[in-house]
Amino acid sequence: MAHGSNYKVKYRRRREGKTNYYKRYVYVINNAIRFVPRITNEYVIIDVTKFDPKGDVMLAVAHSIELVKKYGWKGDTNNTPAAYLTGYLAGLRALKAGVKNAVADIGLFVPTKGGRIFAAIKGAIDAGLQIPVGDLGDIEERVKGVHISEYAKKLQSENPELYKKLFSRYMARGLDPQNLPQHFEEVLKKIKEAGS
């Protein structure tokens, strides 16, 4: 490890790969309200935050486990459709809190066209939140889970053993993965009716 009078140890969160302090500095200087989607191994968590010197203030929060508990979601809680639905939920809550515009803060995620982060952002935009982003590409079918449905259909005919293994959680919850796009539409309708 380097040492000496000119060596400066980076902040702990930077060393751990959790925070890009230059980006954070830009958000603070602009006093921007941030739309912050984060994806873990199990869930999608979205915060709409405002900077405060004492600590960020959460204006609206949405967690993908709510899709299961409140709206009857039977799919995975961290896939592309779940990211979209959680983003939609966060967008509705942000609008209720009086937020009309936000800036996407994807943190240290590498921007990938059609990725789950952008599905969450698209959900918030479709809910009515203004988030300036470039071309999101054609992710309409991905957010509905059409790609998962088609893969399940293909896998069931080619390798039934692997199909049962990969989609066991879907089937245990009572959802045929080939019906995911229809289930997505049902849950989205419930969220719209509830209004958040």
Side-chain angles (χ1 to χ4, degrees), residues 131-160:
I131 302 175
V133 288
D135 180 29
L136 292 175
D138 188 27
I139 62 171
E140 284 295 325
E141 289 194 343
R142 285 190 68 81
V143 298
K144 293 177 183 174
V146 173
H147 64 294
I148 298 170
S149 173
E150 288 173 355
Y151 178 66
K153 196 176 293 181
K154 180 182 173 205
L155 198 60
Q156 187 178 26
S157 62
E158 292 177 3
N159 191 343

Side-chain angles (χ1 to χ4, degrees), residues 38-175:
R38 295 294 181 257
I39 298 173
T40 69
N41 289 339
E42 291 270 335
Y43 303 109
V44 178
I45 305 161
I46 299 175
D47 304 320
V48 179
T49 65
K50 178 181 172 185
F51 173 76
D52 187 275
K54 295 176 184 172
D56 288 352
V57 177
M58 303 296 167
L59 303 172
V61 178
H63 196 290
S64 60
I65 197 67
E66 295 176 71
L67 301 175
V68 176
K69 292 182 176 179
K70 293 182 181 177
Y71 304 104
W73 178 250
K74 295 177 183 173
D76 282 341
T77 52
N78 73 338
N79 62 9
T80 306
Y84 176 88
L85 293 170
T86 309
Y88 194 90
L89 200 55
L92 290 177
R93 289 178 180 168
L95 291 170
K96 262 190 177 173
V99 177
K100 292 182 175 67
N101 303 306
V103 176
D105 176 0
I106 64 169
L108 297 174
F109 282 99
V110 177
T112 307
K113 203 169 194 176
R116 295 177 291 173
I117 290 287
F118 293 112
I121 293 169
K122 178 159 179 44
I125 291 170
D126 289 352
L129 193 62
Q130 298 294 317
I131 302 175
V133 288
D135 180 29
L136 292 175
D138 188 27
I139 62 171
E140 284 295 325
E141 289 194 343
R142 285 190 68 81
V143 298
K144 293 177 183 174
V146 173
H147 64 294
I148 298 170
S149 173
E150 288 173 355
Y151 178 66
K153 196 176 293 181
K154 180 182 173 205
L155 198 60
Q156 187 178 26
S157 62
E158 292 177 3
N159 191 343
E161 291 285 320
L162 185 59
Y163 170 79
K164 288 177 186 172
K165 183 179 177 184
L166 290 179
F167 294 105
S168 61
R169 290 173 75 181
Y170 284 80
M171 292 184 279
R173 294 180 192 131
L175 174 66

Side-chain angles (χ1 to χ4, degrees), residues 174-185:
L175 174 66
D176 182 353
Q178 296 174 36
N179 297 332
L180 187 61
Q182 294 88 341
H183 181 59
F184 169 85
E185 293 294 344

